[in-house]
């Protein structure tokens, strides 16, 4: 009897605590899986901060980390849709390299002969040509997969080899440089950042959008008679979102231009050089803004448009989607076309950041892109995945890579860690799906 009383007494607070936590997550509707990824990311950051002697969690490294993540983050938004439909794209790294080389040749060799050097339209024409090339490559692969019934694994594995070889053939293996000055803005750096004032403006606008989105969702739920979140949960989500946004802006504004760049800027603009130096904040990098816009657009496509619903319907049950009248083959073609466009955008950012187009661009990016999508909760079995989760997965992958470089981990060991993380992510996805049944 005593044992029974003790057991009941000790389990009571635990049950109440578990019930409180459960009610909190139900009220706020926070995705626990996404929250787990955030927790894992914080553990990685704190761990590397101690391993690197305090170098990781600094404004400089976090700013560079955000810029370095952009390529994979952009491509992984498209990889989510590819994997959701039970396909795979192993050619994204090679497509990035080919599109980057085409854009490099356009602005360094072709356009100067047609419209002259330093033409204001060079960057725009280059970007359009690169995006068109990516769309054509993706569409070509999608047509083979959809209408010739060749498995996507084989088609894109062939594409990995073909497009990488085509990259070399464009210039016979030569590196193309330099890039157009306006085009380089997409790569970040001192000229490719918007500064402190505009960063705060962007942050405030983002907070207003968050508040407006939550209020609109509440009105829509009331309109259609759906259950609403408690008012305190709405306030909590607004405060949490705004703190995270403004905190990221503060970190970006805490990283200043190097003294030599600041001095040249002061001389060019006739600004007196103070004895203490001139602190000019970088602010948000342009490639980070581009990535955020791509993420918002891809989220809208996948959750608000009919095309997005078709994608998830095909992933959930291809036969049922076909019987429901969905043109599954053309949806597949559009998915791979979209994937090619995203690879071209990522290639433009990569080329702008390097100020050159090289044959090595995009090498192994297919591994990191797929790993980011899987880590972000996209199931290889199809039918499940989120754009936000995949982009967070890209940040996790880049954090691992950047942290290991700062910690002076050997390159072979870095590959071992990345491979192990991918396997563990797939295993966790299998466990999660098994428990969800």
């Amino acid at each position: 009897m005593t044992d029974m009383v003790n057991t009941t007494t000790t389990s009571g607070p635990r049950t109440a605590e578990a019930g409180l936590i459960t009610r909190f997550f139900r009220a706020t509707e926070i995705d626990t899986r996404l929250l787990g990824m955030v927790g894992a990311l914080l553990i990685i950051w704190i761990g590397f901060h101690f391993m690197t002697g305090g170098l990781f969690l600094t404004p400089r490294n976090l700013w560079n980390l955000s810029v370095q993540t952009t390529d994979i983050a952009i491509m992984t938004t498209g990889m989510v849709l590819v994997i959701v439909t039970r396909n795979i794209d192993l050619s994204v790294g090679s497509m990035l390299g080919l599109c980057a080389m085409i854009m490099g040749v356009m602005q360094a060799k072709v356009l100067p002969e047609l419209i002259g050097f330093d033409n204001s339209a060079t960057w725009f024409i280059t970007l359009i040509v690169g995006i068109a090339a990516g769309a054509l490559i993706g569409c070509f692969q999608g047509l083979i997969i959809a209408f010739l019934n060749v498995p996507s694994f084989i088609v894109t594995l062939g594409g990995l080899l073909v497009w990488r070889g085509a990259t070399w053939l464009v210039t016979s293996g030569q590196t193309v440089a330099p890039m157009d000055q306006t085009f380089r803005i997409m790569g970040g750096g001192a000229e490719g950042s918007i500064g402190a004032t505009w960063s705060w403006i962007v942050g405030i606008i983002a907070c207003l959008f968050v508040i407006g989105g939550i209020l609109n969702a509440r009105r829509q739920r009331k309109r259609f008679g759906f259950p609403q979140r408690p008012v305190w949960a709405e306030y909590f989500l607004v405060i949490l979102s705004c703190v995270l946004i403004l905190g990221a802006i503060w970190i970006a504004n805490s990283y200043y231009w190097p003294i030599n760049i600041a001095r040249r800027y002061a001389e060019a603009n006739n600004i007196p050089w103070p004895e203490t130096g001139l602190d000019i904040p970088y602010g948000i990098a342009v490639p980070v803004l581009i990535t955020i816009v791509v993420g918002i657009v891809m989220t809208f496509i996948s959750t608000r448009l009919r095309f997005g619903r078709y994608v998830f319907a095909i992933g959930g049950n291809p036969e049922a989607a076909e019987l429901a009248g969905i043109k599954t083959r053309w949806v597949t073609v559009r998915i791979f076309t979209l994937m090619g466009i995203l690879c071209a955008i990522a290639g433009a950012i990569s080329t702008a950041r390097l100020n050159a187009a090289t044959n090595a661009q995009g090498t192994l990016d297919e591994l990191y892109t797929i790993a980011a999508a899987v880590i972000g909760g996209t199931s290889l079995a199809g039918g499940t995945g989120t754009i936000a989760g995949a982009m967070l997965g890209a940040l996790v992958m880049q954090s691992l890579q950047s942290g290991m470089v700062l910690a002076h981990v050997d390159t072979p060991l870095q590959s071992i860690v990345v491979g192990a993380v991918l396997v563990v992510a797939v295993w966790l996805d299998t466990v999660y799906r098994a428990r969800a049944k």
Side-chain angles (χ1 to χ4, degrees):
M1 291 292 292
T2 306
D3 292 341
M4 292 179 62
V5 172
N6 289 340
T7 302
T8 304
T9 304
T10 54
S11 63
R14 294 180 182 178
T15 304
E17 183 180 355
L20 181 62
I21 295 174
T22 302
R23 289 197 301 271
F24 172 79
F25 284 118
R26 285 179 179 175
T28 57
E29 298 180 359
I30 295 176
D31 187 348
T32 54
R33 190 170 184 177
L34 196 64
L35 187 63
M37 286 182 56
V38 173
L41 182 64
L42 291 176
I43 292 173
I44 292 171
W45 283 7
I46 295 171
F48 278 127
H49 189 68
F50 285 105
M51 290 176 62
T52 58
L55 294 177
F56 193 88
L57 292 177
T58 59
R60 175 182 179 180
N61 186 63
L62 292 176
W63 190 92
N64 288 327
L65 180 64
S66 67
V67 174
Q68 293 163 0
T69 305
T70 54
D71 304 350
I72 301 300
I74 288 174
M75 290 192 294
T76 199
T77 61
M79 188 63 73
V80 170
L81 303 186
V82 172
I83 297 177
V84 161
T85 55
R86 307 184 184 186
N87 288 299
I88 200 72
D89 194 340
L90 301 176
S91 65
V92 293
S94 298
M95 278 198 290
L96 183 152
L98 179 56
C99 293
M101 185 60 72
I102 291 173
M103 286 185 280
V105 171
M106 282 295 299
Q107 59 188 303
K109 296 183 178 182
V110 177
L111 291 179
E113 296 180 0
L114 297 176
I115 59 177
F117 288 96
D118 297 329
N119 192 292
S120 59
T122 296
W123 73 273
F124 181 75
I125 298 174
T126 298
L127 189 60
I128 293 299
V129 170
I131 291 175
L136 288 174
I137 295 171
C139 182
F140 176 69
Q141 294 189 148
L143 288 170
I144 295 175
I145 294 166
F147 290 95
L148 299 184
N149 295 321
V150 182
S152 60
F153 181 89
I154 300 300
V155 173
T156 57
L157 179 60
L160 182 151
L161 302 174
V162 170
W163 310 131
R164 182 60 63 187
T167 303
W168 190 91
L169 289 175
V170 172
T171 59
S172 298
Q174 297 179 356
T175 297
V176 179
M179 299 295 103
D180 177 74
Q181 185 175 2
T182 305
F183 184 84
R184 290 202 302 268
I185 292 175
M186 289 187 292
E191 296 179 351
S193 304
I194 63 175
T197 302
W198 278 108
S199 295
W200 285 119
I201 293 174
V202 169
I204 293 172
I205 293 174
C207 290
L208 293 176
F209 268 106
V210 168
I211 296 171
I214 291 177
L215 290 176
N216 181 63
R218 190 172 183 85
R219 284 195 298 266
Q220 292 297 324
R221 290 186 178 203
K222 183 178 181 180
R223 176 185 176 186
F224 293 103
F226 293 155
Q228 296 189 18
R229 287 189 291 249
V231 176
W232 67 263
E234 305 279 17
Y235 280 114
F236 173 80
L237 292 174
V238 167
I239 294 172
L240 178 64
S241 300
C242 292
V243 166
L244 291 176
I245 292 170
L246 298 179
I249 302 298
W250 176 76
I251 292 173
N253 288 338
S254 299
Y255 178 37
Y256 302 105
W257 288 10
I259 186 171
N260 292 333
I261 297 178
R263 188 183 294 275
R264 287 198 297 269
Y265 175 81
E267 293 173 355
N269 293 273
N270 297 320
I271 299 175
W273 185 259
E275 295 182 359
T276 57
L278 195 62
D279 292 334
I280 304 177
Y282 275 88
I284 304 174
V286 171
V288 175
L289 286 177
I290 295 173
T291 304
I292 293 172
V293 171
V294 168
I296 293 172
V297 171
M298 289 298 293
T299 300
F300 180 80
I301 290 174
S302 62
T303 60
R304 298 294 183 181
L305 296 186
R306 184 183 302 172
F307 170 72
R309 292 194 293 271
Y310 287 170
V311 168
F312 282 88
I314 294 171
N317 192 324
E319 292 79 11
E322 187 80 33
L323 293 173
I326 297 175
K327 298 179 180 179
T328 56
R329 293 186 176 185
W330 283 112
V331 171
T332 301
V333 173
R334 280 182 279 180
I335 290 171
F336 279 91
T337 302
L338 183 59
M339 186 75 253
I341 292 173
L342 293 171
C343 288
I345 296 174
I349 292 175
S350 174
T351 304
R353 186 169 67 245
L354 295 173
N355 193 24
T358 70
N359 289 283
Q361 278 180 264
T363 302
L364 292 181
D365 276 5
E366 54 277 347
L367 167 65
Y368 293 106
T369 303
I370 295 171
V374 174
I375 291 172
T378 305
S379 174
L380 292 173
T384 304
T386 63
I387 302 300
M391 296 181 76
L392 187 57
L395 183 58
V396 170
M397 293 299 298
Q398 187 58 48
S399 297
L400 284 172
Q401 189 176 12
S402 177
M404 287 187 289
V405 170
L406 288 176
H408 305 291
V409 176
D410 293 336
T411 302
L413 186 56
Q414 294 181 27
S415 300
I416 292 173
V417 171
V418 172
V421 168
L422 177 58
V423 173
V424 171
V426 175
W427 172 70
L428 290 175
D429 174 68
T430 304
V431 173
Y432 181 83
R433 287 174 63 86
R435 290 183 176 180
K437 290 181 179 179

